[in-house]
Amino acid sequence: MGGHLNINHLMFLGQGALWTIGLSVIALIGGGIVGFVIALARISPLKSVRLASAVYVQLIQGTPLLVILFLGYFGLAAIGLKVSPLTAASASLTLYVAAYLGEIWRGCIQSVPKPQWEAAEGLALTRTQRMIKVILPQAIRIATPPTVGFMVQIIKNTSLASVVGFVELMRSGQIVNNSLFEPFAIYAIIAVTYFAMCYPLSLFSQRLERRMGRGRSNLAPA
Amino acid sequence: MQQNSSSEPIVSLRNVRKSFGPLVVLDGVSFAVERGEVLALIGRSGSGKSTALRCIDRFEKVDDGEIVVCGHRVDRPDVDLRALRQDVGIVFQSYNLFPHLTIEQNITLAPCAVKGMATAEAKDLARKVLVQVGLEEKLHAYPEQLSGGQQQRAAIARSLAMQPKVMLFDEVTSALDPELTAEVLKVIEQLAADGMTMVMVTHEMGFAKGIADRIVFMHRGKVHETGPASILTSPTTPELTQFVGTGNLKS
């Protein structure tokens, strides 16, 4: 064992960082698509749809992501469904992100003032037209800062995928540490790398929020 | 009840009842609005006048009674809401323009989406209705760039663009100062002069007196007194006497 941290180790960590970004993007897109459906289902006029989506959200939000990952990887394997670490991590993160984004977006849709719905209704627009042309454009404005903020959570949570053997930033750090045994230096590098990915997003989210705050008075009726 | 028997009324309410929980808001309300007529619903806050107006466009479902609007049985659960709302225009106290769209887009949205009107035609229409409310120079402005009075006039224009058979006004000047109120009332006056059928909930007694063909005074969920605008100056019931006597009658 031994040796010193060299360029090859850093390249390996860099590759892990890229997979962290990749997995985050997969989780955001997958979770975004499913989450959008969840958000719409949560405010559906059909009670059964509302109930089913609420149960989903509560179930996921009440379960640690680590457990979902274990279920997706080891659980499915135990019942004969062999999935790759990437598939298991992608699917678990998608389910997880969907539950949270669904709730965030439901709140944003519902925070569009009710009179906006009524005005659109009074103009004889169908429910779908009201949603697409009047409510969603306003909801997207409201949803952007918290969604960008939540992306920070997604990036950090992808580190849990290391437990199913998916080699992202965290796992690649563990691997490098296993050969060098310099935990402080290596995990410090990992921490700084995570921070470098998350901090710009946090800043961006805050800036969006400030800009929103300026426009908010115009969003409210009267 | 107190209905004119000439032709089929555009709006008619017969014995309409509505409660919110234990609170009875409409307790057997009946009135009718003839074509070209301007009807003003007046009364204290909580007398049920706004609820009555909202029932006409089915923003509230009634518990009992009959509402017919432009031939639509609004009280029935199977009423065609989209057809109803193409015949009825409604303007709210809080304007409710869509903040993410320009005034032109606000106006052309429904004609294009609901009636399938071509964009060019809808834009011509937008210009026309904006001229009607004196806002043609605001075509490309966003709602937030307009004063309250201008926003309300734009909201009226948006409603007019659907060429409704009857217009409902729900306290449309209550959020405006006297000067802005005047510019909105002028637009409504012009609509009345053009023969638009209108039902308005208003606190502007002077305006109601000047423009309304008929006054419906509501009190405790009932139509308490009804008649021509002159009942405001010579009321017959003590409640209306007290209502108009409490400084509500601006000249």
Side-chain angles (χ1 to χ4, degrees):
Chain A
M1 285 280 165
H4 289 285
L5 193 66
N6 61 33
I7 186 77
N8 289 326
H9 295 126
L10 290 178
M11 294 268 285
F12 187 69
L13 290 179
Q15 208 178 8
L18 284 182
W19 271 114
T20 287
I21 294 172
L23 190 58
S24 302
V25 170
I26 291 171
L28 181 72
I29 292 173
I33 293 168
V34 180
F36 183 66
V37 175
I38 295 291
L40 293 182
R42 290 278 282 120
I43 54 166
S44 162
L46 298 174
K47 199 178 173 194
S48 54
V49 175
R50 282 203 306 273
L51 196 72
S53 52
V55 168
Y56 171 82
V57 168
Q58 289 307 318
L59 221 58
I60 299 288
Q61 291 197 348
T63 314
L65 177 56
L66 193 58
V67 175
I68 301 173
L69 277 160
F70 270 39
L71 267 176
Y73 189 62
F74 303 112
L76 289 182
I79 58 168
L81 234 110
K82 191 86 185 91
V83 290
S84 70
L86 175 61
T87 312
S90 301
S92 306
L93 276 163
T94 293
L95 292 181
Y96 174 81
V97 170
Y100 283 90
L101 279 185
E103 272 309 85
I104 293 174
W105 291 347
R106 174 194 60 80
C108 292
I109 291 172
Q110 287 182 329
S111 69
V112 174
K114 190 150 178 281
Q116 289 284 317
W117 285 93
E118 287 194 341
E121 226 181 311
L123 288 168
L125 300 176
T126 62
R127 187 179 159 86
T128 313
Q129 287 171 336
R130 296 199 292 268
M131 197 52 125
I132 294 174
K133 292 175 190 293
V134 177
I135 304 304
L136 285 182
Q138 299 183 56
I140 287 169
R141 263 191 66 186
I142 304 170
T144 307
T147 304
V148 173
F150 185 68
M151 277 166 64
V152 173
Q153 304 297 323
I154 300 176
I155 291 175
K156 289 190 294 186
N157 278 328
T158 56
S159 63
L160 287 171
S162 61
V163 299
V164 298
F166 182 75
V167 187
E168 38 63 72
L169 182 56
M170 184 64 196
R171 182 79 193 128
S172 61
Q174 287 169 341
I175 292 168
V176 170
N177 184 51
N178 284 346
S179 71
L180 296 181
F181 206 69
E182 283 184 52
F184 187 78
I186 289 164
Y187 290 124
I189 292 172
I190 303 287
V192 168
T193 313
Y194 274 117
F195 183 79
M197 289 192 254
C198 295
Y199 186 60
L201 278 177
S202 290
L203 272 188
F204 183 48
S205 167
Q206 279 168 25
R207 236 181 55 197
L208 285 173
E209 217 162 297
R210 269 203 304 275
R211 196 182 306 164
M212 269 287 304
R214 273 214 304 275
R216 189 166 334 227
S217 58
N218 300 323
L219 259 179
Chain B
M1 305 206 120
Q2 55 284 87
Q3 268 188 27
N4 302 341
S5 53
S6 52
S7 64
E8 191 81 335
I10 289 210
V11 175
S12 89
L13 281 76
R14 222 173 297 191
N15 219 5
V16 168
R17 288 172 198 284
K18 167 84 187 168
S19 304
F20 292 116
L23 183 70
V24 180
V25 186
L26 299 179
D27 189 7
V29 169
S30 303
F31 61 80
V33 188
E34 306 296 327
R35 188 177 301 276
E37 195 178 24
V38 177
L39 184 130
L41 281 170
I42 61 168
R44 283 197 185 80
S45 303
S47 60
K49 55 193 191 309
S50 264
T51 306
L53 189 85
R54 288 168 59 82
C55 284
I56 295 173
D57 209 7
R58 209 166 180 262
F59 281 114
E60 308 290 351
K61 285 180 204 168
V62 300
D63 300 333
D64 195 25
E66 182 190 282
I67 303 184
V68 184
V69 178
C70 304
H72 307 285
R73 277 295 299 268
V74 180
D75 53 294
R76 293 213 176 129
D78 62 346
V79 61
D80 183 347
L81 282 179
R82 293 191 69 207
L84 167 72
R85 281 158 183 170
Q86 287 186 56
D87 287 339
V88 181
I90 184 161
V91 183
F92 304 89
Q93 180 181 343
S94 52
Y95 337 132
N96 305 345
L97 291 170
F98 306 133
H100 60 296
L101 300 177
T102 63
I103 299 304
E104 183 182 52
Q105 291 166 332
N106 262 280
I107 296 173
T108 56
L109 175 62
C112 290
V114 177
K115 292 186 168 174
M117 192 180 280
T119 314
E121 196 186 339
K123 285 185 172 180
D124 283 345
L125 178 64
R127 204 158 296 125
K128 210 186 89 195
V129 290
L130 277 179
V131 168
Q132 238 179 309
V133 300
L135 278 180
E136 58 274 29
E137 77 281 4
K138 298 297 184 189
L139 205 56
H140 301 294
Y142 281 89
E144 63 184 31
Q145 297 166 311
L146 271 55
S147 73
Q150 289 172 331
Q151 286 193 47
Q152 194 56 291
R153 281 147 65 198
I156 293 172
R158 179 175 70 178
S159 203
L160 283 176
M162 287 297 279
Q163 288 152 331
K165 295 183 181 136
V166 54
M167 293 270 283
L168 310 178
F169 294 92
D170 191 2
E171 296 189 32
V172 293
T173 59
S174 297
L176 302 171
D177 67 37
E179 198 181 331
L180 299 181
T181 295
E183 66 180 51
V184 171
L185 295 185
K186 222 178 89 192
V187 167
I188 299 176
E189 257 166 30
Q190 189 54 50
L191 283 178
D194 293 345
M196 176 63 80
T197 309
M198 299 193 276
V199 183
M200 57 177 73
V201 170
T202 184
H203 290 296
E204 302 285 333
M205 288 307 126
F207 177 66
K209 196 177 147 216
I211 192 180
D213 299 307
R214 214 143 46 83
I215 304 281
V216 168
F217 172 63
M218 290 192 59
H219 184 67
R220 293 187 176 166
K222 288 187 162 78
V223 174
H224 200 74
E225 187 170 345
T226 179
S230 58
I231 64 166
L232 291 176
T233 35
S234 48
T236 56
T237 60
E239 287 80 8
L240 182 55
T241 309
Q242 199 198 352
F243 181 69
V244 294
T246 49
N248 273 303
L249 191 57
K250 298 174 190 166
S251 54

